[in-house]
Amino acid sequence: MKTNFTIFCFAFVLLVSAEVSGRPLSSDIDKLTADEMAPLALEDSMYYHFDEWFERFQGEINRLESATPSTENRVELMKYYFNYTGLLGELTHALAFTSKYQDTKIAANFILYSNRVKDLAHEVLDDDSKSIEQEAEADLFLGAAEGYIGIFEYGQGNLFQALVNGFQADNHLEKALLLNPNLVDGYFGLGMYRYGNSRLGGISNFIMQGAKDLRQVGLDHIERAILKKASSLPLALKTLAWFYISEQINPKNKNLPSEHPLSQHKTRQNAWALLIELENRYFKGSAPHPHFRGNKEIAMMKALQYVLDNDYNKAGIEF
């Protein structure tokens, strides 16, 4: 997929005000499914608004754990476990840009709920009564949970375990998309995997991808998830922006012509387009929560981009 992502981003910004209908009322949120709650919770994580969603997810988990066992209930419970896991991951990420870098209780809960996702996904996959759609969703969430654990293990220095989790994540995400191409969040996961392995290189990339440079494949996968408005949209936008910032200082790109998609010229354009979209989509106008004073991760990305642009005055303001 070789779309002009810069043009897409600026055009997409113009559509934001027409597409965003506002936050649902509390009574309406109570009636939403796990799939419908997930993007709202991820968007709120941009404003460091976590507590409400932990309570909502835990309430639904309690309800489903007490409900009559069925494949449908297992799938929905699996999704709430994953939503809880994802929010824990974003909380840990936010703490890295605010006060603490690590919190052992959060890390323990992250692994606990990730394993609950895996256990339920395996139960659904082993259920002969499952539908194709349920099988695809089980593969998607199993792959996503394995990917989350792989990132955690890598951060803990457990490289072999991270490699194993990554391999399993890749397989399940591909199966999910094969069964149901509309599960576009799978492209985000695969994109992170393809790009990350290529950047890490070494034995991991040799074993998993035959030592191929699949950076552009990974970036295209994430772009596809964005174009299809995946429920993980805030994460996909931030991740792609970080990747394009990092590509500007990647020695592999040093002698690329300006028209090459990984050249410093193109990656700078795409990084700024994504940063502008993030600002317009989530931070333009009044904040949805009174406590919010600004997103430190976005400020960090802008500061680094200004440094790369040799605009140190603006970089200093963001820092």
Side-chain angles (χ1 to χ4, degrees):
M1 184 171 60
K2 301 296 181 185
T3 60
N4 189 323
F5 196 72
T6 305
I7 294 175
F8 154 72
C9 280
F10 282 113
F12 195 58
V13 164
L14 299 177
L15 299 175
V16 168
S17 60
E19 292 181 356
V20 177
S21 59
R23 179 185 173 88
L25 297 174
S26 179
S27 58
D28 294 329
I29 293 176
D30 291 336
K31 302 172 186 176
L32 299 180
T33 65
D35 288 334
E36 293 166 332
M37 284 192 189
L40 294 174
L42 283 179
E43 184 170 330
D44 267 358
S45 74
M46 302 284 278
Y47 313 109
Y48 308 129
H49 186 77
F50 293 97
D51 290 347
E52 173 191 351
W53 292 104
F54 280 124
E55 291 175 6
R56 289 186 181 280
F57 292 159
Q58 189 61 61
E60 291 302 307
I61 287 169
N62 293 344
R63 178 181 66 81
L64 288 163
E65 285 180 337
S66 302
T68 303
S70 68
T71 304
E72 183 179 350
N73 282 347
R74 286 191 185 95
V75 170
E76 192 73 355
L77 180 56
M78 172 188 69
K79 292 177 181 180
Y80 276 113
Y81 281 150
F82 183 80
N83 289 350
Y84 202 101
T85 301
L87 208 57
L88 286 169
E90 282 308 292
L91 177 58
T92 301
H93 191 63
L95 291 175
F97 285 93
T98 52
S99 55
K100 305 175 188 176
Y101 181 66
Q102 289 184 332
D103 186 302
T104 54
K105 183 179 179 180
I106 294 174
N109 281 333
F110 176 82
I111 293 298
L112 173 66
Y113 279 90
S114 295
N115 284 325
R116 286 182 178 178
V117 175
K118 290 174 57 179
D119 290 342
L120 269 180
H122 282 298
E123 285 185 27
V124 173
L125 291 173
D126 291 339
D127 187 343
D128 293 336
S129 68
K130 66 183 178 297
S131 66
I132 295 296
E133 181 180 358
Q134 290 169 335
E135 181 179 357
E137 289 182 326
D139 274 318
L140 174 69
F141 285 94
L142 180 54
E146 290 283 10
Y148 259 141
I149 294 173
I151 293 170
F152 178 85
E153 294 290 356
Y154 181 81
Q156 297 294 308
N158 303 323
L159 303 186
F160 178 76
Q161 187 57 51
L163 182 64
V164 171
N165 288 121
F167 180 75
Q168 293 171 332
D170 184 72
N171 284 341
H172 287 292
L173 291 173
E174 285 192 330
K175 287 180 182 178
L177 288 168
L178 185 63
L179 290 168
N180 185 355
N182 292 323
L183 295 175
V184 294
D185 286 281
Y187 289 109
F188 176 39
L190 282 179
M192 291 182 64
Y193 185 74
R194 298 281 182 267
Y195 179 87
N197 258 334
S198 297
R199 284 303 300 268
L200 287 173
I203 188 65
S204 173
N205 195 40
F206 178 78
I207 294 174
M208 306 302 295
Q209 300 180 161
K212 295 178 181 178
D213 183 354
L214 298 181
R215 286 176 296 156
Q216 190 60 56
V217 173
L219 295 172
D220 287 346
H221 277 324
I222 301 173
E223 179 182 334
R224 183 171 184 175
I226 291 171
L227 287 166
K228 296 291 186 179
K229 300 177 187 175
S231 64
S232 55
L233 182 62
L235 307 187
L237 287 167
K238 288 194 298 180
T239 300
L240 195 58
W242 274 119
F243 287 171
Y244 277 127
I245 290 171
S246 72
E247 284 300 323
Q248 293 173 65
I249 55 174
N250 188 344
K252 288 185 176 181
N253 303 334
K254 184 176 181 181
N255 298 316
L256 293 177
S258 60
E259 64 271 16
H260 192 283
L262 291 177
S263 69
Q264 185 178 23
H265 174 70
K266 288 290 187 183
T267 52
R268 177 186 179 276
Q269 279 188 332
N270 289 343
W272 270 121
L274 286 157
L275 290 171
I276 290 170
E277 183 175 350
L278 281 162
E279 286 282 357
N280 280 276
R281 174 171 275 273
Y282 299 110
F283 308 115
K284 194 172 184 178
S286 59
H289 302 289
H291 68 273
F292 181 69
R293 295 293 180 269
N295 186 291
K296 293 189 177 184
E297 183 179 6
I298 304 303
M300 178 67 75
M301 283 194 280
K302 289 171 65 178
L304 291 172
Q305 187 57 60
Y306 279 130
V307 168
L308 294 174
D309 293 348
N310 297 318
D311 193 337
Y312 299 108
N313 288 332
K314 289 183 180 178
I317 292 171
E318 297 297 337
F319 275 124

